[in-house]
Amino acid sequence: GAVVSQHPSRVICKSGTSVKIECRSLDFQATTMFWYRQFPKQSLMLMATSNEGSKATYEQGVEKDKFLINHASLTLSTLTVTSAHPEDSSFYICSARQSRGPYAGYTFGSGTRLTVV
Amino acid sequence: QQPVQSPQAVILREGEDAVINCSSSKALYSVHWYRQKHGEAPVFLMILLKGGEQKGHEKISASFNEKKQQSSLYLTASQLSYSGTYFCGTYLMGGNEKLTFGTGTRLTIIP
């Protein structure tokens, strides 16, 4: 089955620094990947849709200059949290699909727990 | 726009049944169901497509009423391993490939 690898699984950084999170589709090509953020005891909220070879599409209220997304190849998307602050501490999860359309499943990475101190 | 799930939380004894509902305010192409354990990524359970479709996965099944824009997940003879938070994910018509997660239902199974 489809596998999505995400790392790091946990990262602690100082306030004001930047953190990069990688999401890889291991056995399939993904022209589109998705980045979610999840706060404790809440649902997953879509941050942005990462498109290979073009700009990401951000959801309303998500700062694109703060959450930089790069999808340089068909198997890799990265999310960089720039100038991180404690309120950015959260669980970040990526997902990808093997095919398009309403009937294809989404495979999720294992998530990254970001703590900003 | 986020689908609303009910109940928010439920506690069951092992062997009891549960129903989790998911309601959307927008027209849907499909509904996906996931289970998430604490600190882990969501795990795919099933997709429901259209037309009152029902599906089953071991003792977990679901239905989708596209006219009412609702889906229900049925867990029968619950096992301890069923504990976790269940999310529906809705794929909207014209939604640009996005999956929008519902508010979540926390299920706790006790011996």
Side-chain angles (χ1 to χ4, degrees), chain B residues 2-108:
Chain B
Q2 183 179 31
V4 177
Q5 290 181 230
S6 63
Q8 288 185 319
V10 59
I11 299 174
L12 297 177
R13 290 200 177 276
E14 201 173 2
E16 292 182 333
D17 302 340
V19 179
I20 299 172
N21 301 301
C22 172
S23 181
S24 172
S25 60
K26 294 182 178 289
L28 306 175
Y29 264 129
S30 63
V31 177
H32 304 221
W33 284 96
Y34 291 83
R35 176 172 59 214
Q36 185 181 31
K37 301 276 187 180
H38 180 68
E40 300 178 8
V43 172
F44 171 76
L45 293 176
M46 65 187 78
I47 297 175
L48 296 115
L49 307 182
K50 57 185 178 181
E53 180 179 29
Q54 296 195 31
K55 271 193 167 183
H57 177 73
E58 296 181 341
K59 294 181 180 177
I60 301 174
S61 61
S63 63
F64 175 32
N65 186 324
E66 62 187 281
K67 289 184 180 179
K68 291 185 177 180
Q69 297 165 185
Q70 295 175 345
S71 178
S72 295
L73 185 72
Y74 308 93
L75 301 105
T76 58
S78 56
Q79 306 169 11
L80 293 175
S81 61
Y82 287 2
S83 290
T85 302
Y86 289 78
F87 292 101
C88 63
T90 54
Y91 189 104
L92 303 180
M93 295 184 180
N96 299 319
E97 303 288 318
K98 295 191 298 185
L99 189 70
T100 303
F101 282 90
T103 49
T105 297
R106 183 184 296 269
L107 175 65
T108 304

Side-chain angles (χ1 to χ4, degrees), chain A:
Chain A
V3 178
V4 174
S5 172
Q6 183 177 343
H7 70 89
S9 57
R10 289 180 180 272
V11 58
I12 300 174
C13 71
K14 290 185 178 181
S15 188
T17 62
S18 296
V19 172
K20 181 184 284 188
I21 302 169
E22 291 190 350
C23 180
R24 294 180 185 272
S25 56
L26 295 187
D27 49 1
F28 66 99
Q29 295 181 332
T31 56
T32 306
M33 292 185 176
F34 305 89
W35 287 96
Y36 291 85
R37 179 170 53 184
Q38 185 178 34
F39 292 106
K41 297 187 178 181
Q42 293 189 20
S43 184
L44 289 85
M45 300 304 296
L46 182 66
M47 299 174 66
T49 302
S50 172
N51 305 298
E52 188 269 336
S54 65
K55 291 182 179 180
T57 304
Y58 290 83
E59 294 299 300
Q60 193 172 12
V62 178
E63 301 173 58
K64 58 183 177 182
D65 293 332
K66 180 169 185 61
F67 299 99
L68 300 180
I69 291 174
N70 183 277
H71 195 153
S73 77
L74 287 170
T75 59
L76 174 65
S77 174
T78 61
L79 169 68
T80 301
V81 182
T82 63
S83 186
H85 288 96
E87 57 265 31
D88 298 323
S89 298
S90 188
F91 192 49
Y92 293 86
I93 311 175
C94 69
S95 75
R97 312 174 80 193
Q98 283 187 291
S99 57
R100 299 174 64 85
Y103 312 135
Y106 295 73
T107 302
F108 285 83
S110 54
T112 298
R113 175 80 56 195
L114 170 64
T115 303
V116 184
V117 297

